[in-house]
């Protein structure tokens, strides 16, 4: 079976699309789909004899808009996929680990989202609707709690199987990636849930990768031998005896390199390679708290050494973020908790969206701004990641309601 890279047209000479072009492509596609949906709906009105003249004219206009946008949408899709052809070929060189029965897993994952979203909606209706009889309200509450619990259990079981690989993430996004380098021993800490998050659907790396998605899709080398990838950065796999050449080339093609310091010769080589081949503003180091000996690992590759005390600041999962000026002089930004609550986080019974990982992301944002890169969307993307399950459920509900309503109207037309 051909991999994603083999289905692309090579040799375009283009690497990645810009964030603005990507957003423009999404708007074009959304408008085209909305126009096509409206045209079908109006055609059904014509068929059932409702406002025939106006519906016919509206259907023609909406159909013309959808057809006019179809060409640009297809061209932008090709442009997006061709722009990352070389990167996809690199990450897909040794194949991607895909679970068996992936379609069944995706269907189960969708069912879990629907159950959880429907259950939460039922609980909200039972608590706020005064028009319902007490028996119906109690039944709705019990059913909602049961459905939400079952949905969360399904999501916990299926989400790792439904995780996208690096090649899929790159093809879907189209921008040059963020390369996340770390010791495989750090995966356990990254998979933990922040204290303020209420479910394991919001692990640290999930929030971290969602925030860095403001720059580009986050990719990382997967642990050799793992049966399932962790959620967060999209994984690809390399052989133990032939990985340095691929990582070196990915450093060249990536927008940003984020490296979490840790023990190991591999990370030491990656720091030295980034120092020798990449511009300083492209590298961000994450320093774990309580490991002053890691300063020596960094100092060996820098013209200006770091003080050991600067490696132990902060009190979060990552103690400090290190950026570099044009002369490779390191600047240390401690990860500190910032006060303030938004209206969303201050609601009664709500959990704060500003988890420790959100504070880390805000510090990375500050470090990037110091190097001349401003990514304003990073902070709110990290906060939205803590509500991603809710947003996915709402989107799925909308995606089911609209086609269902159109199908009902078509059945009305067929029954005439």
């Amino acid at each position: 079976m051909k991999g994603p890279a083999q289905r692309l047209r090579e040799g375009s000479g283009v690497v990645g699309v810009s964030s603005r072009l990507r957003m423009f492509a999404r708007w074009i596609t959304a408008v085209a789909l909305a126009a096509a949906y409206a045209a079908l709906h109006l055609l059904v009105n014509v068929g059932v004899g409702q406002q025939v003249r106006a519906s016919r004219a509206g259907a023609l206009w909406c159909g013309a808009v959808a057809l006019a946008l179809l060409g640009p949408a297809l061209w932008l899709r090709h442009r997006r996929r061709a722009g990352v052809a070389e990167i996809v070929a690199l990450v897909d060189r040794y194949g991607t680990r895909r679970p068996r029965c992936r379609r069944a897993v995706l269907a189960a994952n969708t069912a879990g989202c629907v159950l959880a979203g429907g259950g939460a909606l039922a609980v909200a209706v039972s608590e706020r609707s005064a028009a319902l009889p007490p028996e119906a309200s109690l039944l709705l509450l019990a059913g909602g709690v049961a459905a939400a619990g079952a949905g969360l259990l399904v999501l916990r079981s299926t989400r790792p199987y439904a995780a996208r690989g690096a090649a899929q993430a790159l093809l879907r996004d189209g921008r040059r990636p963020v390369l996340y380098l770390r010791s495989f021993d750090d995966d356990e800490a990254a998979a933990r849930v922040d204290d303020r998050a209420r479910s394991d659907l919001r692990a640290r790396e999930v929030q971290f990768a969602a925030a860095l998605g403001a720059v580009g899709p986050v990719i990382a080398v997967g642990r050799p031998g793992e049966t399932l990838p962790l959620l967060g950065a999209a994984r690809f796999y390399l052989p133990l005896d032939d990985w340095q050449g691929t990582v070196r080339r990915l450093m060249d093609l990536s927008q940003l390199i984020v490296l979490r310091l840790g023990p190991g010769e591999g990370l030491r080589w990656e720091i030295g390679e980034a120092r020798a081949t990449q511009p300083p503003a492209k590298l961000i180091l994450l320093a774990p708290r309580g490991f002053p000996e890691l300063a020596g690992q960094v100092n060996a590759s820098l013209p200006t050494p770091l003080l050991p005390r600067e490696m132990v600041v902060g009190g979060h999962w990552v103690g400090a973020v290190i950026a570099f000026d044009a002369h490779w002089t390191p600047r240390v930004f401690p990860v500190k908790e910032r006060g303030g609550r938004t209206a969303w986080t201050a609601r009664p019974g709500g959990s704060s969206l500003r988890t420790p990982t959100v504070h880390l992301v805000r510090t990375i944002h500050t470090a990037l701004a110091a190097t001349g890169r401003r990514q304003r969307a990073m902070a709110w993307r990290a906060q939205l990641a803590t509500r991603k399950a809710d947003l996915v459920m709402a989107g799925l509900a909308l995606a089911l309601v609209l086609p269902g309503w159109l199908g009902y109207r078509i059945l009305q037309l067929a029954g005439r």
Side-chain angles (χ1 to χ4, degrees):
M1 178 181 290
K2 292 184 178 182
Q6 294 173 293
R7 296 194 295 266
L8 294 176
R9 293 180 60 184
E10 303 278 355
S12 63
V14 181
V15 179
V17 298
S18 66
S19 295
R20 290 184 178 180
L21 183 59
R22 172 176 168 267
M23 185 61 66
F24 177 70
R26 290 190 170 184
W27 277 107
I28 287 288
T29 303
V31 171
L33 289 175
Y37 179 87
L40 290 173
H41 187 76
L42 291 170
L43 285 176
V44 173
N45 282 349
V46 173
V48 298
Q50 295 180 355
Q51 300 178 339
V52 175
R53 186 173 181 180
S55 295
R56 184 184 292 115
L60 288 174
W61 278 106
C62 291
V65 170
L67 288 175
L69 294 179
L70 179 61
L74 292 176
W75 181 84
L76 288 168
R77 180 178 182 272
H78 166 76
R79 171 74 169 77
R80 182 185 73 236
R81 294 168 68 88
V84 292
E86 182 179 357
I87 310 175
V88 171
L90 284 172
V91 301
D92 204 45
R93 179 180 177 186
Y94 298 99
T96 303
R97 296 178 185 175
R98 299 181 177 90
R100 297 179 179 178
C101 304
R102 178 172 174 79
R103 291 183 179 179
V105 169
L106 292 176
N109 187 261
T110 302
C113 288
V114 172
L115 281 173
L121 179 62
V123 170
V125 170
S126 68
E127 291 178 345
R128 299 177 184 179
S129 178
L132 290 176
E135 297 81 4
S137 179
L138 183 61
L139 183 62
L140 191 62
L141 176 63
V145 170
L152 289 176
L153 287 176
V154 171
L155 287 175
R156 289 178 59 182
S157 302
T158 59
R159 288 188 77 233
Y161 291 92
R164 292 190 183 94
Q168 291 176 304
L170 288 164
L171 290 172
R172 183 181 178 87
D173 190 286
R175 295 173 295 170
R176 290 189 296 152
V178 175
L179 181 60
Y180 177 44
L181 303 172
R182 84 284 178 215
S183 169
F184 295 134
D185 295 335
D186 292 331
D187 283 351
E188 182 179 355
R192 293 175 185 168
V193 182
D194 282 329
D195 294 337
R196 297 177 189 174
R198 295 181 298 176
S199 76
D200 60 357
L201 302 180
R202 310 164 191 164
R204 290 167 172 172
E205 191 175 317
V206 173
Q207 301 174 53
F208 176 69
L212 288 177
V215 181
V218 184
I219 63 174
V221 181
R223 177 193 290 269
E226 67 181 2
T227 56
L228 285 175
L230 293 178
L231 298 175
R235 288 335 196 236
F236 63 98
Y237 297 90
L238 298 175
L240 291 174
D241 57 349
D242 184 21
W243 60 273
Q244 292 182 336
T246 301
V247 171
R248 182 185 296 113
R249 183 57 181 156
L250 286 174
M251 285 184 177
D252 295 334
L253 297 175
S254 298
Q255 292 192 64
L256 183 68
I257 303 167
V258 179
L259 191 150
R260 189 176 192 273
L261 297 172
E265 292 296 326
L267 284 176
R268 187 174 292 111
W269 176 87
E270 289 164 349
I271 295 174
E273 192 67 24
R275 167 74 174 84
T277 63
Q278 304 301 319
K282 196 174 181 178
L283 179 63
I284 293 290
L285 301 181
L286 307 180
R289 184 174 182 272
F291 294 93
E293 64 274 10
L294 294 180
Q297 178 179 338
V298 182
N299 292 340
S301 304
L302 299 178
T304 303
L306 284 171
L307 295 176
R309 64 179 177 83
E310 292 182 313
M311 303 292 290
V312 297
V313 294
H316 297 283
W317 168 45
V318 175
V321 177
I322 304 169
F324 301 92
D325 65 13
H327 304 287
W328 283 102
T329 302
R331 295 187 59 184
V332 180
F333 299 85
V335 179
K336 297 179 180 179
E337 183 170 344
R338 306 184 185 188
R341 294 171 64 88
T342 62
W344 191 5
T345 64
R347 66 185 182 186
S351 63
S352 174
L353 298 182
R354 295 187 177 178
T355 62
T357 303
V358 172
H359 297 303
L360 166 62
V361 168
R362 290 181 175 273
T363 307
I364 295 175
H365 175 269
T366 303
L368 288 175
T371 64
R373 302 174 62 121
R374 296 188 179 275
Q375 301 291 339
R376 298 179 180 178
M378 287 183 64
W380 66 261
R381 285 178 69 106
Q383 293 180 355
L384 285 181
T386 65
R387 296 288 181 184
K388 187 175 182 180
D390 300 335
L391 297 174
V392 169
M393 294 168 197
L396 281 173
L398 184 63
L400 290 174
V401 167
L402 292 179
W405 173 248
L406 183 60
Y408 171 73
R409 297 298 310 280
I410 293 175
L411 288 176
Q412 279 186 322
L413 177 61
R416 286 177 62 87

